[in-house]
Amino acid sequence: MGIVYKCFKLFFINLSMNIIELDKKYIAHTYQRFNIVIERGKGAYVWDEEGKRYIDCVAGVAVNNVGHCNSYVVREIKKQAEKLIHSSNWFYSKQQVIFAELLTKISSLDKVFFCNSGTEAVEAAIKLARKFTKKKEIIGMEGAFHGRTMGALSLTWNKKYREAYSPLLPYVKWVPWNNAEEVERKITEKTAGIIIEPIQIEGGGVRIPSKNYLKELREICDKKRILLIFDEVQTGFGRTGKMFAFEWWGVLPDILCVAKGIAGGFPMGAMIAKEEVMNSFEPGDHGSTFGGNPLACSAGIASVNFILKNKLAESSETIGKYFIEELKKIKSPMIKEIRGMGLLVGVELKEDARKYCELLLKKRVLTTPLRNVIRFVPPLVITHKQINCVVKAIKEIL
Ligand SMILES: *Cc1c(COP(=O)(O)O)cnc(C)c1O
């Protein structure tokens, strides 16, 4: 009683002048934002509120693979929004089965659980691995990043993210990167599975596995009858030059976690698994109110179809190769190493990269730092001409 909720319309009209101040006042301080307010986007470009244009090599952190406001995806979202935005997983949904079939076709796996983010896909994978194997222990990689909720956080390596929130999940073991023998040694009769990002990005600064590592893990998992879980939340949907990064090594996981680039910027995630494994989930074992709602599925169907039809994985490979070639021509004492696959590229510097991302921002190129690595994950629709502009900007700041 007594509280009157007013319409704050007038207040919002004045907002644009102080967005950064108001952000500090009203938003949890969990992000180290760059000083720019993004207002709109198209393809690989975004514009700030003053109308300044930037080439976006962040793409919402490897999310906008089909480009900002992709016309086809926007049209499909609009169509679905006018028909049905949300129903419930209490009822059947046409969009959900269409998208699930599409995801199984492109992943060579069998069944899908829909959720709303990467970390939720990992949570679902942990639960499924325990349910299927009736075992508790998960082996994770040093340097791994799997998300921020308590389960996924338990398998995230960086102590800074974990320390204040213990106790986390027990029965987690760590192994060093690229060391299959150590993995085999760590497996016990309690082990349910191994979780790994085929390419470590957040924790590894774009760390690519040695040629046989994933294959060796697959063999160990088969031998020991435990599950191999791939977290392709960031590497999926054409990012590395294949639809999924695991195709590069010809290794199929038992469980695949995806999100980020799945639905053209619409929040969505999925956990995809082999039939036998997924069938251990029974009604009530897991669920999500929003997971796989018709609007998200329509955005996903449109995005994945756009990627397939326009061969964005292939162009990611060719443009990514060109990008790395051009980067390698830059002579700078600051550069330690340039590495990447497709349009997932890291430029490792000899010092912290944040300052250099700030300088690139001034040159109208958006990037994000991974400690001493500048990460480039542009929309896969980026053109050679736009890449040339990015390379020129990097040359200037280094
Ligand atoms: C981003 C990311 C996550 C977490 O995804 P959210 O959607 O932010 O929860 C998990 N794993 C990897 C590899 C990621 O890159």
Side-chain angles (χ1 to χ4, degrees):
M1 268 289 283
I3 297 169
V4 180
Y5 291 99
K6 289 186 207 158
C7 174
F8 288 104
K9 219 169 180 176
L10 264 177
F11 178 68
F12 276 110
I13 286 169
N14 293 326
L15 249 177
S16 63
M17 302 155 77
N18 302 300
I19 285 179
I20 291 168
E21 283 308 304
L22 289 163
D23 181 292
K24 290 196 190 339
K25 185 162 149 77
Y26 290 117
I27 312 275
H29 290 181
T30 55
Y31 305 105
Q32 278 190 287
R33 299 194 203 274
F34 287 95
N35 253 331
I36 148 180
V37 181
I38 296 177
E39 200 166 72
R40 67 191 170 92
K42 193 74 198 163
Y45 287 128
V46 294
W47 287 263
D48 68 11
E49 50 174 359
E50 291 158 20
K52 278 193 248 160
R53 192 181 76 182
Y54 301 79
I55 299 178
D56 185 5
C57 291
V58 181
V61 189
V63 166
N64 301 297
N65 291 14
V66 295
H68 287 280
C69 297
N70 179 292
S71 310
Y72 175 63
V73 176
V74 169
R75 205 158 57 234
E76 293 300 304
I77 288 176
K78 277 185 178 165
K79 263 203 304 210
Q80 186 58 45
E82 285 180 346
K83 213 161 146 192
L84 183 68
I85 293 175
H86 180 78
S87 50
S88 164
N89 284 314
W90 281 101
F91 310 108
Y92 290 101
S93 154
K94 182 170 133 192
Q95 286 74 31
Q96 217 174 85
V97 291
I98 293 173
F99 195 32
E101 184 182 38
L102 185 54
L103 288 173
T104 62
K105 291 260 154 64
I106 60 172
S107 67
S108 309
L109 293 166
D110 307 310
K111 283 194 171 179
V112 181
F113 175 83
F114 285 113
C115 51
N116 312 287
S117 64
T119 200
E120 282 176 65
V122 172
E123 296 292 331
I126 298 169
K127 284 180 73 174
L128 182 63
R130 284 189 169 185
K131 186 82 201 295
F132 176 72
T133 61
K134 302 189 178 69
K135 292 170 182 176
K136 291 181 169 50
E137 191 175 271
I138 311 274
I139 294 177
M141 299 293 138
E142 292 178 9
F145 181 89
H146 295 295
R148 309 284 198 158
T149 52
M150 297 302 262
L153 185 62
S154 309
L155 290 157
T156 290
W157 169 250
N158 193 339
K159 271 216 177 74
K160 210 183 82 193
Y161 296 157
R162 283 191 284 130
E163 237 161 25
Y165 312 103
S166 62
L168 296 173
L169 278 189
Y171 298 99
V172 169
K173 271 184 184 168
W174 301 101
V175 289
W177 184 253
N178 264 345
N179 188 341
E181 284 164 30
E182 187 58 25
V183 173
E184 192 159 3
R185 262 198 295 277
K186 284 259 161 79
I187 293 170
T188 64
E189 70 287 349
K190 293 200 192 80
T191 309
I194 301 168
I195 185 165
I196 178 172
E197 305 145 86
I199 299 174
Q200 272 191 352
I201 306 167
E202 302 289 333
V206 189
R207 184 186 286 164
I208 297 166
S210 62
K211 200 164 141 264
N212 295 320
Y213 185 47
L214 299 180
K215 206 168 258 169
E216 284 164 4
L217 291 184
R218 177 73 273 175
E219 284 162 12
I220 291 168
C221 287
D222 290 341
K223 195 167 91 186
K224 303 272 182 177
R225 297 178 167 279
I226 63 169
L227 298 175
L228 182 59
I229 306 167
F230 283 169
D231 176 349
E232 290 234 26
V233 169
Q234 195 157 166
T235 48
F237 301 99
R239 174 57 53 195
T240 69
K242 300 274 188 203
M243 187 56 92
F244 296 106
F246 67 69
E247 295 167 44
W248 284 114
W249 296 281
V251 176
L252 194 64
D254 302 295
I255 303 177
L256 177 68
C257 301
V258 295
K260 290 195 167 91
I262 190 172
F266 204 89
M268 189 178 216
M271 186 267 285
I272 315 172
K274 290 185 179 162
E275 181 161 21
E276 180 199 8
V277 178
M278 193 70 99
N279 283 349
S280 66
F281 264 173
E282 293 165 286
D285 275 349
H286 199 40
S288 164
T289 297
F290 289 122
N293 93 7
L295 194 56
C297 283
S298 293
I301 296 163
S303 300
V304 172
N305 275 325
F306 189 89
I307 291 170
L308 290 169
K309 214 166 169 183
N310 295 280
K311 298 194 186 327
L312 289 193
E314 287 87 337
S315 54
S316 169
E317 194 195 355
T318 33
I319 296 187
K321 247 192 196 134
Y322 172 74
F323 186 28
I324 289 177
E325 271 167 29
E326 291 302 302
L327 285 172
K328 285 191 169 160
K329 287 180 195 161
I330 298 175
K331 297 277 169 279
S332 163
M334 279 317 303
I335 298 177
K336 209 166 146 193
E337 193 184 27
I338 291 158
R339 52 182 182 262
M341 294 183 83
L343 282 168
L344 167 61
V345 176
V347 174
E348 185 175 356
L349 304 177
K350 287 183 182 146
E351 55 182 60
D352 194 84
R354 171 110 194 174
K355 189 178 94 193
Y356 295 90
C357 295
E358 302 274 6
L359 290 171
L360 281 173
L361 179 72
K362 290 209 178 84
K363 300 274 176 199
R364 309 270 184 97
V365 174
L366 303 187
T367 57
T368 47
L370 303 164
R371 278 167 305 284
N372 64 328
V373 175
I374 313 177
R375 161 175 48 187
F376 296 85
V377 281
L380 309 183
V381 295
I382 197 168
T383 61
H384 282 90
K385 218 174 119 193
Q386 287 167 329
I387 286 288
N388 288 339
C389 294
V390 173
V391 172
K392 185 166 166 271
I394 300 166
K395 220 180 262 170
E396 285 166 11
I397 65 138
L398 290 178

